[in-house]
């Protein structure tokens, strides 16, 4: 009976050994099959999912999850069998929790009942996730390639469980295959990323090369426009034809020089010259990108070249005109020579019916030059700078010119002072008309009528100031009437003349005179006493005072035009 019992025990052990060997063989076959499948996976996410599924199946656990090392932090990347999402994304540092202990030691670790095990420092997040998933026994093994730890593979039950050596070996074997597959997938990921980056870089390079080629082609087209003498409309047409960009060229005041008016809000590229801002290139674009701006800048450079060239030509023409006007008005050149020079620059002196002299007061030289140019263009005349003013030779009659000046003045508001004179044409006639127009402009300024336009007939009595006989008679009158006062001011650098003229203009009102001259009342009394000493006590008589006021005004008017 004893022998029968011994034989029975031996049979049971033999059967157990055979079953154990068969189970181990099955596990080995599963690991080998897993290794083949993992080798075929080239995506990191696919590898993680497959490893988590197989770990759960091989160890017959409720939950399997993988933590990967990101810099110095472990992060749960994949969970298989979880009841919720509480575990995903949890992070542990080395030494924290069971996974952190595995990372710190590099060895497998396990707990029969994790929530009751105080060997593992836990964070509030890991504690909450473990309780949410009702984790009991947990086994963790490192994912190692060579000397490098990639992360931790963990298997857990929702009940207490004692993990034996065989469980550790099985999960470690799976982890070895998983680590190698992860490294391979990571290499493939890097290769794919590098290939994608290379494709992106190549595409960007091709686009950049294409953009440079488009810019080079546009430069060639615009250079051809400049070489062939095309103007701003040709540049606008070339930009639309070659680059598909509709543009408008504006000057520095916003006036359209070429192209259709573009809506506000479109890209604007400034056109700059060494002398400053000359205008803008305004585009109507469906897309506002860097390449469009680059092409617009090329167009703006060409516009700047054309504007600079036009300015150079205009300045040369003005210099030529100025030299001719100087010769016409002040030289001793014979009439035939002047007529030949006039024809060479496109002027018919015999057809000049009106001469206008435009003085910069009160708007300045630039505005006066522009005003004179518009006047000349409107009447098909010709203008040039001379002696600080602008001379305009016009084929229209003086009344027609006066109407044009009035219209231009109404359009621009503030205008320069303009003197007009008619003449018979020819060099001599132009010189005579110019002198009369110059004197008229000067007299307008002397009469405080800056910005007005007049012919000499408009000035009535004051015209005699510019006749030789009248000027002599008036000079004698002024000398007889206020001569002592003028001599006193000239010798002593005083201003009694201005004081007396202001006093008479203010109707001999002391307070208003002091306010106009910005002086104290005592100073005014002292000056008037000195006037009495120079002119005699009768100067305040009404008739005498009127003569003094007229003489002082005539003196000022005679003196001003001659300067």
């Amino acid at each position: 009976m004893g022998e029968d019992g011994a034989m029975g025990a031996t049979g049971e052990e033999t059967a157990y050994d055979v079953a154990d060997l068969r189970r181990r063989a099955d596990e080995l076959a599963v690991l080998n099959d897993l290794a083949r499948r993992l080798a075929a996976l080239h995506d990191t996410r696919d590898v993680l999912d497959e490893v988590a599924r197989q770990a759960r199946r091989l160890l017959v656990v409720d939950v399997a999850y993988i933590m990967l090392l990101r810099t110095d932090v472990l992060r749960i990347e994949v969970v298989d069998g979880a009841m919720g999402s509480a575990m995903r994304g949890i992070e542990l540092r080395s030494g924290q929790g069971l996974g952190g202990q595995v990372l710190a030691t590099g060895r497998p670790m396990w707990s029969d009942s994790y929530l009751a095990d105080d060997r593992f420092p836990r964070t509030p997040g890991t504690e909450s996730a473990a309780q949410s998933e009702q984790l009991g026994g947990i086994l963790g093994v490192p994912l190692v390639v060579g000397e490098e730890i990639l992360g931790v593979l963990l298997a857990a039950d929702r009940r207490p469980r004692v993990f034996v050596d065989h469980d550790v070996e099985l999960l470690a074997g799976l982890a070895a295959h998983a680590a190698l597959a992860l490294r391979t997938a990571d290499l493939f990921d890097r290769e794919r990323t590098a290939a994608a980056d290379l494709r992106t870089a190549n595409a960007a390079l091709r686009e950049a090369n294409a953009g440079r080629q488009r810019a080079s082609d546009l430069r060639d087209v615009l250079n051809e426009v400049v070489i062939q003498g095309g103007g701003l409309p040709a540049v606008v047409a070339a930009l639309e034809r070659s680059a598909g960009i509709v543009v408008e060229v504006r000057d520095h005041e916003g006036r359209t020089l070429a192209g259709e008016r573009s809506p506000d809000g479109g890209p604007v590229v400034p056109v700059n010259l060494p002398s400053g801002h000359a205008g803008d290139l305004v585009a109507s674009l469906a897309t506002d990108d860097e390449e469009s701006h680059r092409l617009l800048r090329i167009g703006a450079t060409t516009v700047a070249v054309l504007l600079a060239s036009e300015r150079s030509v205009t300045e040369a023409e003005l210099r030529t005109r100025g030299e001719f006007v100087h010769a016409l008005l002040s030289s001793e050149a014979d009439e035939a020579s002047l007529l030949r020079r006039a024809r060479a620059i496109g002027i018919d002196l015999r057809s000049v019916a009106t001469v206008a002299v435009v003085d910069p007061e009160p708007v300045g030289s630039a505005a006066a030059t522009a005003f004179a140019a518009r006047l000349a263009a409107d009447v098909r005349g010709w203008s040039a700078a001379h002696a600080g003013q602008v001379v305009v030779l016009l084929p229209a009659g003086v009344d027609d010119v006066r109407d044009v000046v009035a219209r231009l003045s109404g359009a621009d508001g503030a205008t320069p002072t303009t003197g007009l004179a008619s003449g018979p044409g020819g060099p001599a006639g132009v010189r005579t008309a110019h002198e009369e127009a110059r004197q008229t402009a000067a007299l307008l300024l002397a009469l405080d009528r800056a910005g007005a336009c007049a012919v000499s007939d408009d000035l009535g009595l004051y015209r005699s100031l510019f006749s030789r006989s009248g000027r002599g008679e008036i000079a004698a009158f002024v000398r007889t009437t206020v001569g002592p006062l003028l001599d006193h001011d000239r010798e002593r650098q005083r201003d009694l003349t201005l004081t007396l003229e202001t006093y008479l203009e203010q109707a001999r009102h002391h307070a208003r005179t002091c306010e106009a001259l910005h002086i104290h009342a005592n100073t005014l009394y002292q000056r008037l006493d000195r006037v009495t000493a120079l002119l005699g006590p009768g100067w305040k008589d009404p008739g005498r005072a009127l003569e003094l006021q007229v003489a002082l005004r005539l003196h000022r008017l005679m003196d001003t035009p001659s300067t």
Side-chain angles (χ1 to χ4, degrees), residues 328 335 424-433:
L328 173 65
E335 182 168 320
V430 169
R431 280 194 290 269
T432 301

Side-chain angles (χ1 to χ4, degrees), residues 459-538:
L459 302 178
L461 173 65
Y462 297 111
R463 290 171 52 199
S464 61
L465 285 172
F466 297 102
S467 67
R468 293 187 179 181
S469 60
R471 192 176 184 88
E473 293 174 359
I474 290 176
F477 168 73
V478 171
R479 184 68 196 168
T480 301
T481 307
V482 292
L485 201 63
L486 299 176
D487 293 340
H488 174 275
D489 283 356
R490 183 173 58 255
E491 293 170 1
R492 293 174 174 78
Q493 299 297 312
R494 298 289 189 242
D495 50 9
L496 292 182
T497 303
L498 176 61
T499 300
L500 179 57
E501 185 176 5
T502 305
Y503 180 66
L504 295 174
E505 287 178 349
Q506 297 297 329
R508 296 190 287 186
H509 191 286
H510 286 73
R512 290 201 297 267
T513 303
C514 291
E515 183 179 356
L517 295 174
H518 304 289
I519 60 176
H520 192 272
N522 290 337
T523 303
L524 177 61
Y525 286 122
Q526 292 172 4
R527 291 182 182 180
L528 293 179
D529 288 343
R530 186 58 182 161
V531 169
T532 301
L534 292 169
L535 300 180

Side-chain angles (χ1 to χ4, degrees), residues 103-420:
L103 176 65
T105 62
R107 296 183 288 105
M109 301 196 74
W110 59 89
S111 174
D112 297 346
S113 181
Y114 178 74
L115 290 175
D117 197 335
D118 57 4
R119 292 179 301 156
F120 307 104
R122 291 190 286 272
T123 65
T126 58
E127 183 78 10
S128 175
Q131 290 177 350
S132 174
E133 289 292 335
Q134 303 174 13
L135 298 184
I138 302 178
L139 168 62
V141 297
L143 296 167
V144 182
V145 175
E147 299 296 326
E148 182 183 3
I149 297 179
L150 305 182
V152 179
L153 173 61
L154 300 104
D157 261 334
R158 292 193 175 90
R159 62 185 182 283
R161 174 171 172 173
V162 177
F163 291 96
V164 297
D165 292 344
H166 176 69
D167 296 328
V168 176
E169 292 173 0
L170 185 58
L171 192 61
L174 178 57
H177 292 306
L180 185 59
L182 284 174
R183 174 51 53 86
T184 302
D186 181 62
L187 293 176
F188 272 103
D189 285 345
R190 294 182 183 181
E191 181 181 355
R192 282 192 294 268
T193 300
D197 291 343
L198 183 60
R199 286 192 298 271
T200 301
N202 286 336
L205 182 59
R206 286 193 298 272
E207 181 59 28
N209 288 335
R212 283 193 290 269
Q213 185 61 48
R214 286 190 289 270
S216 177
D217 292 342
L218 180 60
R219 287 192 186 93
D220 292 341
V221 171
L222 294 178
N223 288 340
E224 190 68 21
V225 169
V226 174
I227 292 172
Q228 293 181 356
L232 296 178
V235 173
V236 171
L239 282 169
E240 183 173 3
R241 182 177 62 255
S242 301
I245 302 176
V246 178
V247 299
E248 173 203 2
V249 181
R250 297 179 185 173
D251 66 10
H252 66 285
E253 295 181 350
R255 294 188 295 261
T256 300
L257 300 179
E260 297 293 331
R261 187 75 181 179
S262 297
D264 293 334
V268 178
V269 177
V271 177
N272 295 320
L273 296 177
S275 58
H277 180 236
D280 297 289
L281 201 62
V282 185
S284 300
L285 293 176
T287 58
D288 186 5
D289 53 24
E290 178 56 32
E291 182 179 357
S292 298
H293 277 271
R294 182 167 58 251
L295 297 178
L296 284 173
R297 288 193 292 270
I298 295 172
T301 300
T302 303
V303 170
V305 170
L306 291 178
L307 291 179
S309 176
E310 289 179 359
R311 288 190 178 184
S312 298
V313 171
T314 301
E315 289 171 0
E317 290 178 349
L318 290 175
R319 283 194 298 271
T320 301
R321 293 178 180 181
E323 292 168 358
F324 172 72
V325 166
H326 181 73
L328 173 65
L329 300 179
S330 60
S331 76
E332 298 299 328
D334 63 89
E335 182 168 320
S337 174
L338 290 172
L339 290 173
R340 284 195 303 272
R341 290 182 62 181
R343 284 195 298 270
I345 58 176
I347 303 173
D348 181 6
L349 289 179
R350 291 192 175 92
S351 68
V352 175
T354 301
V355 175
V357 172
V358 180
D359 191 275
E361 290 294 330
V363 295
S365 298
T369 301
F371 182 87
R374 290 197 294 273
L375 174 60
D378 204 84
V379 190
R380 299 183 179 275
W382 183 85
S383 65
H386 177 69
Q389 298 172 320
V390 186
V391 177
V392 190
L393 308 182
L394 302 162
V398 69
D399 291 335
D400 293 335
V401 173
R402 189 202 297 265
D403 291 341
V404 174
V405 170
R407 176 165 50 79
L408 294 177
S409 300
D412 292 345
T415 53
T417 305
T418 306
L420 303 177

